[in-house]
Every structure is written in C-alpha cells, then in structure tokens.
C-alpha cells in the first residue's frame, strides 16, 4: 500500500484512492458550504421536543400495563436522553445561538440527563477536533489504549462500557485540560448537577426515577457506545476524509441523533449546524468516492462488519469500510 491513510481491511492494494483534505474541494462547492453555516435558532426547539417526548414516554411507562408499550417507552426515553447531550455537543461548537451565556446554559441543561458538564466536555471536545486520530486526540481509542492490552479487547470494552468510562473521563480530563478561567465553570456545573439530581431523588418517588431516568440512562449508554464506536473506531489518520465515519441510517435515527451520524461531515465542517449536515453529505459524494471514505448505510451494517473483522483481530490505523466500497477500491 502506498500510504497508511489508505490501508483498508481486506485490501492488498487500493491505488485508485486519493489522500484528500478540505483544500481539495472545488471552489464552487465551498460557496455552498459557506452558506450552510448560517444558524437557524428555530431548530433549538428540538430541546423542547426531546423533553416532551421523554415525558410522554415516561407517562406511558408509568400508566400502562402492556409490556410492549413499556419497551417502546424505555427506548424512546433512551433516545431522548441520548439526543439531548448531542444538542449539547452542538453547543460546544457555538451552533445554537450567538449568545455565549445562553449557549452555555442550554448546553448545561442538555448535558444534565447524561451526567456530562458542558464546560468540561467542551474543553476536551475541541481538542478532539483539532487533533483527530493523533496521539494528542483525547478521544482516540487507539492512541489512548494501553499498549499491553490487545486492541481488539479495547474496542469491545468501548462497545460494552465505553460511555461509563467516558463520563468520568470528561470530568477529570476536562478539568485538567481546561484553562484556569474555565475550571470554575466546570466546578459550578458539576455542583449544580449534584444539587439538581439530589433534589429530584428527594422529591420524586424512586420508582419514577428508576423507570423514567435510570433505566433510560443505561439504555442510552449502549446507544452512545455504538454511536461512538462507529464515529471513529477502525478509521485511519492522516486524511481528513478517512479519520471518521458517516452512518446514513434511517429518518428516525437521524432525527433522534440530530444528524450526528453524519460525523464525517461534522468533522470536515464543525461550523455547520446539525440540520445542514445532510446537505453537506450530498454535496461531497465525489470527494468521498475519490478518498474511499467510510460511509455506511446503517448501524447494523457497520456492526456486522465490525464483528466479522474483529473476530480476526484489529490492526492499528487500518480502516473498515462497507463491502461494496471494498469491492470497488481493493485491487
């Protein structure tokens, strides 16, 4: 192979691919991309939509006796508990409003159900964007995993319990990486989080807390593990079009994830809000083809390839792409 950034599972040669960066995008497409950076604050009503769906699903679970409805309610609440921190993620990129104070507290509210401080998350997430798939990336599985532990085992730990490790990592590493003036913000947010949770546990019957927050939180954790693994797991550094992955999925998933499944698009243009990412995806199809970008049609398709490939082991800095793309680019 002619470049580590072109290494693909199942390939002996992939010479038809090109190492691209954002400068490779034609100027006429850049004009469209700049127009997609425009904020539309009406989309911030998604916060209220998620909260309303969460309450409705909670009411259904607490007031019905049908097992199927309970399962549907738990799943919908989990999607909301997963979706609100995704909006917090957009807040870290200043994509909700132009008012910093409003953005911060909206981010805090959205991170609260998932036990994540907006300011702590922001301090490491921006580093992640600046150093994606490098040794300085605080979120890179392959860079941060112990060398004495087989990489395949690390990937499975991430798939099963990754979010529970990450919640603690955000608090500790986020505080360490934050500028001194932001450390106070982190302490204030975690202090408020403790007080709010304590008040909820004190005032709300435990059965309601258990069924309407703790169970959905555990389920949301598993959804987040799959999402996080698909975003950067088994990708290659050194190429802006291959160091993360998009999973197109279906309309329901795209809605509940606020299009963060378009993760390649988000990393290429972090200044474009979530509601415009599908347009970026359509615009850059030719560049994705040239680079051999990892774009999956569904999370089930990704997981099937993930399990099939990891059964034989994991090689650092080699990327996994769908079978139909391997058939096209592997010579």
């Amino acid at each position: 192979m002619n470049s580590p950034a072109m290494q693909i599972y199942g390939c002996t040669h992939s010479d038809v691919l090109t190492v691209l960066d954002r400068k490779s995008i034609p100027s006429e497409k850049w004009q469209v991309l700049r127009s997609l950076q425009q904020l539309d604050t009406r989309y911030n009503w998604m916060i209220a939509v998620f909260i309303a769906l969460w309450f409705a699903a909670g009411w259904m679970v607490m007031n019905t006796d049908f097992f199927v409805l309970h399962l549907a309610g738990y799943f919908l609440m989990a999607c909301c508990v997963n979706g609100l921190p995704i909006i917090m993620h957009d807040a870290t990129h200043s994509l909700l409003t132009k008012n910093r104070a409003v953005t911060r507290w909206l981010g805090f509210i959205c991170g609260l159900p998932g036990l994540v401080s907006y300011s702590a998350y922001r301090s490491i997430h921006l580093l992640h964007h600046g150093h994606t798939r490098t040794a300085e990336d605080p979120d890179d599985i392959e860079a941060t995993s112990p060398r004495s532990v087989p990489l395949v085992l690390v990937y499975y730990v991430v798939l099963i319990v990754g979010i529970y490790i990450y919640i603690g990592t955000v608090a500790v590493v986020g505080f360490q990486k934050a500028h001194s003036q932001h450390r106070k913000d982190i302490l204030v947010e975690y202090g408020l989080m403790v007080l709010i949770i304590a008040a909820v546990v004190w005032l709300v019957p435990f059965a309601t807390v258990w069924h309407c927050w703790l169970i959905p939180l555990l389920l949301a954790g598993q959804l987040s593990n799959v999402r996080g693994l698909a975003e950067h797991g088994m990708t290659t550094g050194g190429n802006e079009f291959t160091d993360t992955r998009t999973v197109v999925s279906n309309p329901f998933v795209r809605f509940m994830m606020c299009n963060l499944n378009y993760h390649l698009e988000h990393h290429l243009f972090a200044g474009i809000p979530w509601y415009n990412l599908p347009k970026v995806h359509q615009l850059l199809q030719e560049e994705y083809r040239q680079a051999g970008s990892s774009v999956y049609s569904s999370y089930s398709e990704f997981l099937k390839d993930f399990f099939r490939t990891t059964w034989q082991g994991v090689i650092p800095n080699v990327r996994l792409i769908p079978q139909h793309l391997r058939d096209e680019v592997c010579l």
Side-chain angles (χ1 to χ4, degrees):
M1 292 188 188
N2 51 10
S3 168
M6 292 184 185
Q7 293 183 2
I8 300 171
Y9 285 97
C11 277
T12 54
H13 298 285
S14 55
D15 297 333
V16 297
L17 299 180
T18 306
V19 177
L20 300 179
D21 58 23
R22 279 167 287 193
K23 296 178 181 179
S24 307
I25 300 173
S27 58
E28 61 271 16
K29 291 188 179 182
W30 270 105
Q31 295 178 12
V32 177
L33 291 166
R34 291 188 183 96
S35 70
L36 294 177
Q37 294 180 358
Q38 185 67 35
L39 297 185
D40 186 344
T41 56
R42 292 175 297 178
Y43 284 93
N44 294 339
W45 282 102
M46 276 296 291
I47 299 172
V49 170
F50 279 145
I51 293 173
L53 288 174
W54 186 4
F55 274 74
W59 182 92
M60 183 172 67
V61 167
M62 299 302 295
N63 291 279
T64 63
D65 295 324
F66 295 103
F67 180 68
V68 173
L69 290 180
H70 283 195
L71 289 180
Y74 288 137
F75 179 70
L76 184 55
M77 284 189 286
C79 289
C80 294
V81 173
N82 185 60
L84 285 167
I86 289 176
I87 296 179
M88 177 202 69
H89 159 271
D90 255 38
T92 65
H93 292 284
S94 302
L95 298 179
L96 300 187
T97 75
K98 295 181 179 180
N99 186 302
R100 291 185 179 182
V102 172
T103 295
R104 180 209 175 175
W105 291 112
L106 286 177
F108 170 77
I109 292 170
C110 291
L112 181 60
L115 303 176
V116 178
S117 157
Y118 161 81
S119 295
Y121 178 77
R122 188 175 189 273
S123 72
I124 63 173
H125 186 68
L126 297 184
L127 284 175
H128 163 64
H129 270 265
H131 304 281
T132 306
R133 288 307 319 269
T134 69
E136 291 76 32
D137 183 356
D139 291 346
D140 184 20
I141 299 170
E142 297 186 7
T144 57
S145 62
R147 294 189 177 183
S148 59
V149 178
L151 192 53
V152 63
L153 178 59
V154 174
Y155 268 112
Y156 276 91
V157 168
V158 170
L159 179 61
I160 298 169
V161 297
I163 190 61
Y164 311 112
I165 299 172
Y166 190 67
I167 288 173
T169 299
V170 169
V172 175
V173 179
F175 184 82
Q176 293 174 341
K177 298 290 186 181
H179 296 297
S180 57
Q181 63 266 32
H182 296 311
R183 290 183 174 180
K184 180 180 177 181
D185 295 338
I186 294 172
L187 293 175
V188 168
E189 288 172 20
Y190 277 115
L192 282 174
M193 191 180 298
V194 170
L195 289 175
I196 292 171
I197 293 172
V200 169
V201 173
W202 179 264
L203 298 172
V204 179
F206 181 75
T208 303
V209 175
W210 173 253
H211 289 287
C212 296
W213 179 50
L214 293 177
I215 291 178
L217 180 62
L218 292 172
L219 294 175
Q222 300 313 307
L223 297 176
S224 183
N225 288 343
V226 173
R227 173 177 61 82
L229 186 66
E231 287 173 355
H232 293 286
M234 301 172 76
T235 59
T236 49
N239 185 340
E240 292 177 315
F241 283 82
T242 68
D243 58 14
T244 184
R245 175 182 292 108
T246 279
V247 181
V248 177
S249 197
N250 58 66
F252 175 80
V253 170
R254 294 196 293 269
F255 177 84
M256 299 306 296
M257 289 181 56
C258 294
N259 290 331
L260 193 58
N261 50 296
Y262 290 102
H263 210 64
L264 172 56
E265 292 76 12
H266 168 63
H267 264 261
L268 286 170
F269 305 101
I272 293 180
W274 64 269
Y275 36 86
N276 286 332
L277 293 179
K279 297 176 183 178
V280 180
H281 179 77
Q282 293 300 321
L283 185 67
L284 299 181
Q285 288 299 301
E286 177 59 25
E287 285 73 21
Y288 292 168
R289 186 195 63 78
Q290 293 178 24
S293 300
S294 185
V295 178
Y296 275 81
S297 63
S298 68
Y299 283 96
S300 60
E301 181 191 23
F302 166 75
L303 286 174
K304 184 167 62 176
D305 276 358
F306 171 79
F307 289 130
R308 182 189 298 119
T309 303
T310 54
W311 182 257
Q312 302 176 33
V314 175
I315 306 170
N317 205 37
V318 175
R319 77 180 183 273
L320 182 64
I321 62 175
Q323 181 62 55
H324 73 275
L325 291 179
R326 293 199 293 271
D327 292 342
E328 293 178 10
V329 304
C330 298
L331 306 178

